[in-house]
Amino acid sequence: IVIMDVVTDQAQDEYWRRARYRESDDPVALAYATPKIRHIAQIVDLNQARILDVGCGNGVFTSLFSEFSPHVVGLDYSDHMVRRNPCGKVLRGQAEALPFGTNSFDVAFVANVLHHTLDPQRVVDELARVARGHVVIVEPNRLNPVMFLFSLLIREERGGLRSSKGFLEKLLLSCGLQVLRCSAMGMISQNNTPAWTVPLLRVFDREIWCGEYLIAIAKQPELRRSTQ
């Protein structure tokens, strides 16, 4: 039994103010994010898509999505992170109550947010509401020893102890989505990976059970999409 201790929104905001994040164009940050975007693009058509990047942070995924489409919007709870995001369409808001109408986007994407929230199901419900096409989730993989230890030691990251393939699939299925793929990949993190190790770790930029991150891709049922 894993005992959870997820901290409050105010404490999380203070955590992000203290966090030392590599900038979105840093080579290590790009080595972390680019393989994940390529993996997603194999399943989801990103070209000219309306994409929402929830928990966009300082913009590493927002920037890469913008290479596929000019219709990318970023949202983050942390005002500090929003100010650091170089992309043009970024606003502050809560993932649990997205300030967008139903079916506003083709793709709703969220990375490394669910383990920081008290109600991950509500976040996924909101993603499903605003996405007429696909919902994509990136979360730490608790089966990875480094991620498990990181989640255990850092209070603000402790929600990662619940992060598993089955957990993400359940969240997606609970709001009526069809799960297309859920797999782990990669051994590079945006902030904690030393730059000199990146060439060695690129060999893990593929699906592997002990990868540091889970990527879950789901879509709206065809019946729902065809009637809207």
Side-chain angles (χ1 to χ4, degrees), residues 191-215:
N191 302 297
N192 301 317
T193 299
W196 67 269
T197 66
V198 168
L200 303 174
L201 295 176
R202 288 188 189 277
V203 68
F204 297 105
D205 288 340
R206 55 187 175 86
E207 294 185 34
I208 180 171
W209 70 272
C210 60
E212 283 196 348
Y213 294 92
L214 294 163
I215 303 177

Side-chain angles (χ1 to χ4, degrees), residues 10-175:
Q10 182 178 358
Q12 290 284 6
D13 195 42
E14 287 300 318
Y15 176 62
W16 294 120
R17 289 179 183 276
R18 300 192 309 268
R20 295 183 178 181
Y21 258 50
R22 288 183 169 115
E23 297 301 328
S24 59
D25 59 352
D26 183 278
V28 179
L30 291 174
Y32 149 75
T34 301
K36 297 172 180 61
I37 293 291
R38 290 174 179 167
H39 176 82
I40 295 165
Q42 291 176 355
I43 303 169
V44 181
D45 185 5
L46 302 177
N47 293 304
Q48 300 301 311
R50 294 170 297 169
I51 303 172
L52 174 63
D53 180 7
V54 176
C56 61
N58 64 354
V60 61
F61 285 110
T62 326
S63 300
L64 292 174
F65 279 129
S66 297
E67 295 179 6
F68 288 88
S69 172
H71 313 297
V72 180
V73 177
L75 178 140
D76 201 282
Y77 176 77
S78 170
D79 182 62
H80 172 65
M81 284 295 179
V82 168
R83 290 198 303 268
R84 291 179 61 182
N85 193 309
C87 300
K89 301 175 184 177
V90 182
L91 65 153
R92 189 170 185 263
Q94 291 187 317
E96 297 89 346
L98 296 174
F100 308 104
T102 301
N103 301 327
S104 297
F105 297 90
D106 299 305
V107 181
F109 171 86
V110 63
N112 300 313
V113 169
L114 299 185
H115 67 286
H116 288 293
T117 182
L118 295 172
D119 193 350
Q121 185 65 67
R122 184 176 175 184
V123 174
V124 178
D125 288 345
E126 277 291 275
L127 295 172
R129 179 182 66 80
V130 302
R132 68 178 301 272
H134 292 83
V135 171
V136 182
I137 299 172
V138 175
E139 278 289 299
N141 178 19
R142 72 180 183 188
L143 294 182
N144 177 271
V146 174
M147 278 299 183
F148 184 86
L149 185 61
F150 185 63
S151 300
L152 192 64
L153 295 178
I154 307 298
R155 186 180 177 220
E156 291 84 358
E157 300 286 345
R158 205 153 292 163
L161 295 175
R162 68 190 171 198
S163 185
S164 66
K165 180 179 177 181
F167 178 71
L168 296 186
E169 289 178 340
K170 182 179 179 180
L171 292 175
L172 292 164
L173 292 171
S174 293
C175 53

